[in-house]
Amino acid sequence: MTKDEESTNDEFQMTKEARRTNYRKRPAEEQVAGEAEASWEETLEVSVSKLREEPNDGKRVFDLQERTARFGEAIIGFAKKIPLSPVNNRLIEQLVGAGTSVGANYCEADDGVSRKDFKNKIGTCRKEARETKFFLRMVATAEPSLKPEARNLRREAKELHLIFSKIWRK
C-alpha cells in the first residue's frame, strides 16, 4: 500500500468514526426545553399534513405508495420517543433505516424498467418490512413502556410484508 493510499484510508476511517461519534452525541445546544419542543411538534404535524394528498380519517389506505409513506412517518415519530442510550441508539438507526426504506424501495419498484427489476425491488420491500418487524420487537424488549405502540407498528409492518410477499410470488 502506498503512502497516499494509507493516508486516504486513515482519513476515511477518521471521518467515518467522527460521523459515528457525532451522530450518537447530542450537544447541549440541541437539547430544547419542553416549550420549544411542543412548538416543534405542532410545526411537524402541520408540515406532515400538508405533504399528504388527503386526510386519513382513520380509514385504511389502499394506495401502497401512500401507505408505505405513512408507515415511514409513523416509524420516525416512534423513533423520536425512544430514549437515547447506547443500546437504543443502534436500534433507532436500524429501525428508521429499515422502516423508511420500505416506502423508498416501493417507489423504485413502481418505476421499475422491467418485470425482473420490479420483482427485485418488491423483494427488497419484503426484506425491509420483515427487518422492521424484527427491530420493533427489539425496541419493545429494550423499552417495555413503548410496547403497545411498537405492537401496532409491528402489525402494520407484518401486513406490508404479507402484501409484498403476495406481489413477489405473482
Side-chain angles (χ1 to χ4, degrees):
M1 190 181 286
T2 67
K3 222 174 199 182
D4 288 337
E5 289 174 340
E6 285 180 23
S7 173
T8 304
N9 193 24
D10 289 343
E11 289 173 10
F12 174 75
Q13 289 297 331
M14 285 190 299
T15 57
K16 185 177 177 183
E17 184 60 35
R19 284 190 307 242
R20 188 177 297 141
T21 305
N22 288 339
Y23 177 77
R24 294 176 195 272
K25 292 181 182 175
R26 290 191 180 176
E29 302 89 54
E30 290 183 18
Q31 296 176 356
V32 183
E35 192 173 295
E37 187 72 27
S39 67
W40 166 252
E41 291 297 326
E42 291 169 4
T43 305
L44 180 65
E45 287 176 18
V46 169
S47 65
V48 169
S49 65
K50 288 181 183 177
L51 293 175
R52 293 189 178 142
E53 294 175 7
E54 58 196 40
N56 188 6
D57 299 331
K59 297 177 184 173
R60 178 161 282 158
V61 178
F62 293 102
D63 174 18
L64 268 179
Q65 190 166 356
E66 181 66 19
R67 187 170 176 177
T68 56
R70 289 182 183 181
F71 178 68
E73 291 169 353
I75 290 291
I76 291 169
F78 177 70
K80 287 182 175 182
K81 296 176 185 177
I82 303 171
L84 297 179
S85 73
V87 171
N88 291 350
N89 291 346
R90 179 69 176 157
L91 293 175
I92 292 168
E93 291 173 19
Q94 292 290 324
L95 177 63
V96 171
T100 56
S101 69
V102 173
N105 283 299
Y106 179 72
C107 289
E108 286 188 35
D110 201 30
D111 291 335
V113 293
S114 67
R115 179 72 184 156
K116 186 177 179 181
D117 185 31
F118 176 79
K119 188 170 181 174
N120 181 37
K121 297 295 185 203
I122 289 295
T124 304
C125 292
R126 257 176 86 210
K127 291 176 187 177
E128 295 294 342
R130 186 176 47 225
E131 188 176 333
T132 303
K133 287 191 312 186
F134 174 81
F135 284 110
L136 284 166
R137 180 178 175 183
M138 295 301 108
V139 168
T141 301
E143 293 295 327
S145 62
L146 297 173
K147 197 176 256 185
E149 191 172 353
R151 186 176 292 128
N152 291 335
L153 288 170
R154 193 168 191 277
R155 187 176 307 121
E156 178 67 8
K158 181 180 180 182
E159 288 179 16
L160 288 171
H161 179 253
L162 292 172
I163 290 168
F164 291 126
S165 293
K166 181 69 174 178
I167 294 170
W168 187 79
R169 282 193 296 269
K170 279 188 172 181

